[in-house]
Amino acid sequence: MDSRRFDPEKIPEASVLVVGDAMLDRYWFGDASRISPEAPVPVVKVTHTQERLGGAANVARNAAALGSPTSLLAVIGDDDAGSKLLDLLEEAKVKSCLFKEKNINTTVKLRIIARNQQMIRTDFETEIHEGALDMHQNRFTELLPNTDLVILSDYGKGGLNRIAKMIEQSNALGKPVLVDPKGSDFSKYKGATCITPNRAELMNVVGQWNNEEDLAHRAQNLRKELQLDKLLLTRSEEGMTLFDENGSWSVPAQAREVFDVSGAGDTVIAVLGVMLAAGADWRTSVTTANKAGGIVVGKVGTATVTPTELF
């Protein structure tokens, strides 16, 4: 299908359920014009701050930005950061299905940015206990029948410790499952419709490839081993390559100035999911997701793309 034949008017009828590790992204913006006398590091004079949705919450925000009815299922802390995250989700028109737990802290990533360059990032996080994960799983079971597609956004923070069960339940109801993977053990994603690793993530699992033929061999072996329909490799300046039972197909990156790659993977999987849920075929969906990734890296911080920019 040609992207010109896809009808964006179908998107408001395509519901997406995002599950995973939600977090709050904090940005401190300023100017760095001198070096600290205490250590050989720049001194950033902070001029303004921003708070944005991060992790799985950013995936949901990106899906909702296209007009898709989007729900987010995650565990957060009963703290100020969690309250701010809920406020931002409401602003983004994302339906919140969040558990606020008193014994954990909402994951926060703090980035300090000067002259459009990220200087440093600090993370604040705690582990999620089993009781919260039990409630999380039960809520997933309730929400699943009323969604068209599931996106599992794994940031390795514990919110997807029951991911194998979620994939099994989704398959039983015929719901496509897209996974943004993390770590070196991809076996937990077995049976998903598609995983979307970047180059570093795939290399961490299958090893360094020598050429395109070697890459295809390794990627296809992994796809078959995990019983995936598709494997979409995101390749930064090299675009994307989709591997399936018919072979491989690549789409080149769209050249543009890169300001910030943070959150680009969130945008790609969100747009891919919305397109598929709205009835687009895989080539149209991948092409559109690739275009969205190219747009979002030209923006500072975790950002979204609009239907106007895409269509």
Side-chain angles (χ1 to χ4, degrees), residues 17 71 73 95 97 138-147:
L17 172 61
S71 300
L73 176 61
K95 180 182 178 182
C97 305
N138 292 337
R139 184 64 169 143
F140 177 80
T141 303
E142 295 172 4
L143 294 170
L144 185 59
N146 298 314
T147 193

Side-chain angles (χ1 to χ4, degrees), residues 33-78:
S33 57
R34 63 191 178 94
I35 301 298
S36 171
E38 303 164 0
V41 294
V43 175
V44 178
K45 182 180 179 182
V46 177
T47 56
H48 64 287
T49 64
Q50 287 185 8
E51 292 179 313
R52 302 178 186 175
L53 298 169
N58 188 45
V59 176
R61 171 191 176 213
N62 271 270
L66 292 182
S68 169
T70 305
S71 300
L72 173 65
L73 176 61
V75 180
I76 61 173
D78 188 7

Side-chain angles (χ1 to χ4, degrees), residues 8-25:
E9 297 297 323
K10 294 181 180 179
I11 290 178
E13 303 168 10
S15 59
V16 172
L17 172 61
V18 179
V19 189
D21 299 307
M23 56 192 73
L24 183 67
D25 282 345

Side-chain angles (χ1 to χ4, degrees), residues 155-183:
Y155 272 78
K157 309 301 182 186
L160 287 175
N161 283 359
R162 309 285 172 82
I163 192 169
K165 180 66 174 178
M166 292 178 177
I167 292 172
E168 179 185 332
Q169 289 180 291
S170 301
N171 288 338
L173 292 183
K175 308 293 184 179
V177 184
L178 308 183
V179 182
D180 191 355
K182 194 75 171 179

Side-chain angles (χ1 to χ4, degrees), residues 3-302:
S3 61
R4 289 171 297 180
R5 295 169 57 189
F6 172 72
D7 183 6
E9 297 297 323
K10 294 181 180 179
I11 290 178
E13 303 168 10
S15 59
V16 172
L17 172 61
V18 179
V19 189
D21 299 307
M23 56 192 73
L24 183 67
D25 282 345
R26 286 193 167 127
Y27 294 87
W28 292 358
F29 296 93
D31 186 37
S33 57
R34 63 191 178 94
I35 301 298
S36 171
E38 303 164 0
V41 294
V43 175
V44 178
K45 182 180 179 182
V46 177
T47 56
H48 64 287
T49 64
Q50 287 185 8
E51 292 179 313
R52 302 178 186 175
L53 298 169
N58 188 45
V59 176
R61 171 191 176 213
N62 271 270
L66 292 182
S68 169
T70 305
S71 300
L72 173 65
L73 176 61
V75 180
I76 61 173
D78 188 7
D79 51 19
D80 290 341
S83 297
K84 181 61 179 179
L85 198 150
L86 284 167
D87 290 342
L88 291 173
L89 287 170
E90 184 176 357
E91 288 178 21
K93 299 181 180 178
V94 174
K95 180 182 178 182
S96 300
C97 305
L98 305 183
F99 290 105
K100 296 183 73 172
E101 287 295 310
K102 294 183 181 298
N103 298 324
I104 69 168
N105 296 323
T106 301
T107 298
V108 175
K109 291 182 179 180
L110 170 61
R111 296 175 177 92
I112 299 177
I113 297 174
R115 299 183 180 180
N116 284 334
Q117 296 296 321
Q118 187 176 144
M119 309 297 287
I120 192 171
R121 191 186 91 184
T122 58
D123 293 2
F124 307 86
E125 59 191 54
T126 53
E127 291 187 12
I128 302 173
H129 60 78
E130 290 297 310
L133 290 173
D134 288 338
M135 293 186 291
H136 190 244
Q137 178 64 52
N138 292 337
R139 184 64 169 143
F140 177 80
T141 303
E142 295 172 4
L143 294 170
L144 185 59
N146 298 314
T147 193
D148 293 315
L149 181 140
V150 177
I151 297 177
L152 302 177
S153 177
D154 192 355
Y155 272 78
K157 309 301 182 186
L160 287 175
N161 283 359
R162 309 285 172 82
I163 192 169
K165 180 66 174 178
M166 292 178 177
I167 292 172
E168 179 185 332
Q169 289 180 291
S170 301
N171 288 338
L173 292 183
K175 308 293 184 179
V177 184
L178 308 183
V179 182
D180 191 355
K182 194 75 171 179
S184 58
D185 179 16
F186 280 12
S187 63
K188 56 190 172 183
Y189 308 131
K190 186 175 182 178
T193 306
C194 179
I195 62 174
T196 62
N198 60 32
R199 286 181 299 193
E201 289 165 343
L202 184 62
M203 200 175 297
N204 196 29
V205 175
V206 304
Q208 173 72 56
W209 50 86
N210 300 314
N211 50 46
E212 289 298 304
E213 183 180 356
D214 187 25
L215 166 60
H217 177 72
R218 293 170 187 261
Q220 291 288 20
N221 282 346
L222 178 65
R223 184 186 66 80
K224 293 171 185 175
E225 178 186 338
L226 298 181
Q227 299 175 20
L228 309 170
D229 289 345
K230 317 277 184 183
L231 187 155
L232 178 64
L233 174 62
T234 59
R235 311 177 67 173
S236 300
E237 73 279 359
E238 296 176 358
M240 299 180 184
T241 302
L242 181 70
F243 300 92
D244 61 18
E245 61 181 6
N246 296 317
S248 63
W249 172 76
S250 295
V251 55
Q254 297 189 358
R256 65 177 62 233
E257 189 171 3
V258 176
F259 283 107
D260 194 343
V261 298
S262 60
D266 298 337
T267 299
V268 166
I269 198 169
V271 173
L272 179 68
V274 169
M275 292 291 292
L276 291 169
D281 68 12
W282 276 90
R283 288 205 175 195
T284 302
S285 300
V286 169
T287 301
T288 307
N290 182 63
K291 181 180 180 182
I295 293 170
V296 83
V297 296
K299 303 179 181 182
V300 176
T302 51

